[in-house]
Amino acid sequence: MWNVAITRVYRDEGSSYEYTDKVYFEVNSLEKINDILSVFDKYAVGEYKYMISQKKEENQEEE
């Protein structure tokens, strides 16, 4: 499993107020992350940054 956190920052025209949105996704493959980032490339307002991490699988075996 992979996690991607996307932070988008933008300003309202005529205002000095800065808006920040954060979204988190959990997906099974890097290809899915690429699909998500493609949507942000195409439709996002303002700038965005992202962080990708691999989720560690928990070993649930009981001894």
Side-chain angles (χ1 to χ4, degrees), residues 29-40:
S29 68
L30 290 174
E31 290 82 15
K32 295 286 186 188
I33 291 174
N34 188 45
D35 293 344
I36 292 167
L37 294 177
S38 293
V39 170
F40 275 81

Side-chain angles (χ1 to χ4, degrees), residues 4-50:
V4 61
I6 300 174
T7 304
R8 181 173 64 115
V9 178
Y10 60 99
R11 285 184 189 229
D12 188 12
E13 287 187 33
S15 172
S16 61
Y17 188 75
E18 187 173 271
Y19 299 91
T20 302
D21 295 329
K22 292 183 182 182
V23 293
Y24 301 92
F25 297 93
E26 187 174 281
V27 296
N28 292 325
S29 68
L30 290 174
E31 290 82 15
K32 295 286 186 188
I33 291 174
N34 188 45
D35 293 344
I36 292 167
L37 294 177
S38 293
V39 170
F40 275 81
D41 285 339
K42 190 171 183 178
Y43 298 108
V45 174
E47 298 178 6
Y48 74 92
K49 298 177 183 179
Y50 60 90

